[in-house]
Amino acid sequence: MTKTIFTAMALAVIAGGCAKDHEINVTNDSDLDRTAEIVEVDTALIASFGYDKGFRILDSRGEEIPYQFTYDGKVIFPATVAKNSTAAYKIVAGTPAATDTLVYGRIVPERKDDMAWENDKSAYRAYGPALQESGERAFGYDIWTKSVDYPILNQRYHDDIVNKISFHEDHGNGMDVYAVGPTLGGGTAALLDAEGEIVYPYCFKEYEVLDNGPLRFTVRLVYGGETVDGDSTVVETRVISLDRGSYLNKTIVSYDGLSDKKRVAPGIVVHKQNPEGYVFDKDRGFMAYSDLTENAENGNGTIFVGIVSPESEAFEYKALAEPAGDAIGHIFAPKSYGNGEQFTYWWGSGWSKADIADEKAWSDLLGNYALRLKSPLKVSVK
């Protein structure tokens, strides 16, 4: 398993004079226990403490906690805080220990420019320029199931391409058994035109990996050339981040080139194998779908897909005008959108052959995730 050791360049960010120990207090005002939830501290604040030879973060038992510098000027680490309480962590001078990298992603040119990423819960991919050039129509996010907590992306691609061992079959750690095709797949957002029809984004044209583990993966994808109600040069930008231990990707979507207000809607494809297998919970701000896969009789298990979208104004089902393979419609969560605005939502998946028991467990997980967003952990440093 990959180990990450913080480089001299990263540690130089926090260079300074002689440093004293500092305490980080993480407060949980909610009625939910928070376990290994990623929290953030400004890098500039820690830099002011003068840890010229590096620092470590310790919990109340003196055990070291892994952390990561992020592209947007944060130090992130996992915090565990019981409901309605505060947990204390300490920053001390010293060299941090190597950390297992469980969150990872990369461009995969050997497989039609997939942008693929994973954490300890699931794996995902967005389709790139080479696939679009091939003429294959695949628009949405793909889901790769996982039943192990270690990285599998590189091995699966290598086995499939080099060893001819298909990643569409489970060889002990999960597989690619989710059908995307010309749909929004497992959580892609899209604009809706004046008639309420989905304007499908094709493959990304540009990418930039911003964070790459050990605790967070972040990528910026740029899509161009979409035409919406006469606007022919609409450019879409997505910033997708996935944290260790999370079932959901945080995604910030923005569009430029729109001449007037539109609606944007994150969506999940509905397949004929389970036409009514979706749940809407507008009060808590999530929707869920239980995907039985194309060949359920093969024992593929159920892929649970979900979107948490507090900004959305509704949750709806819309049938496709014509079925696309086994796809018969979408559930989606539209909201009003203006040119240049940012729309933030969360999407992701779990698997019945991993650690999501059933539809209720998945809905409970999404509901609790939405509640945590409404009551974020509060971080203070002294």
Side-chain angles (χ1 to χ4, degrees), residues 135-364:
E136 182 178 345
R137 287 165 54 80
F139 304 142
Y141 298 127
D142 191 19
I143 295 168
W144 281 12
T145 64
K146 287 180 65 171
S147 55
V148 295
D149 64 2
Y150 52 80
I152 50 80
L153 278 177
N154 285 332
Q155 188 62 52
R156 281 197 198 169
Y157 276 114
H158 182 269
D159 284 348
D160 188 84
I161 296 169
V162 178
N163 298 330
K164 308 305 178 184
I165 300 173
S166 175
F167 54 50
H168 295 289
E169 299 175 3
D170 187 358
H171 302 287
N173 60 28
M175 56 187 161
D176 174 17
V177 70
Y178 184 72
V180 179
T183 75
L184 295 178
T188 306
L191 291 171
L192 305 179
D193 67 16
E195 304 300 321
E197 298 299 322
I198 297 169
V199 181
Y200 292 101
Y202 216 158
C203 301
F204 65 83
K205 296 183 180 297
E206 302 172 16
Y207 77 92
E208 182 181 6
V209 174
L210 304 173
D211 296 314
N212 211 352
L215 301 177
R216 174 175 293 171
F217 171 82
T218 306
V219 64
R220 179 185 291 114
L221 302 176
V222 179
Y223 294 71
E226 299 172 31
T227 299
V228 186
D229 296 331
D231 295 330
S232 59
T233 57
V234 178
V235 175
E236 175 187 359
T237 302
R238 307 176 195 172
V239 178
I240 305 166
S241 60
L242 180 64
D243 288 348
R244 192 184 80 174
S246 179
Y247 290 90
L248 301 182
N249 298 265
K250 178 182 179 180
T251 301
I252 303 171
V253 180
S254 61
Y255 298 89
D256 289 305
L258 297 174
S259 58
D260 55 17
K261 283 270 190 179
K262 301 296 178 188
R263 289 197 302 162
V264 63
I268 299 170
V269 63
V270 173
H271 291 113
K272 67 181 183 182
Q273 288 82 0
N274 198 12
E276 298 180 355
Y278 51 86
V279 174
F280 297 147
D281 192 324
K282 184 64 175 66
D283 290 340
R284 288 187 288 177
F286 77 85
M287 61 184 186
Y289 179 64
S290 300
D291 197 294
L292 303 182
T293 78
E294 290 180 302
N295 301 305
E297 65 276 7
N298 289 347
N300 297 332
T302 301
I303 301 173
F304 299 104
V305 193
I307 287 174
V308 175
S309 185
E311 295 183 32
S312 290
E313 296 153 0
F315 294 101
E316 305 171 358
Y317 171 78
K318 183 177 180 62
L320 295 175
E322 296 182 3
D326 288 342
I328 58 172
H330 290 93
I331 54 172
F332 61 108
K335 76 171 295 287
S336 179
Y337 178 85
N339 187 66
E341 295 176 353
Q342 290 188 338
F343 169 55
T344 303
Y345 71 102
W346 290 258
W347 62 276
S349 66
W351 192 30
S352 64
K353 299 181 73 173
D355 52 4
I356 303 297
D358 52 30
E359 181 180 288
K360 182 182 182 304
W362 181 239
S363 290
D364 287 345

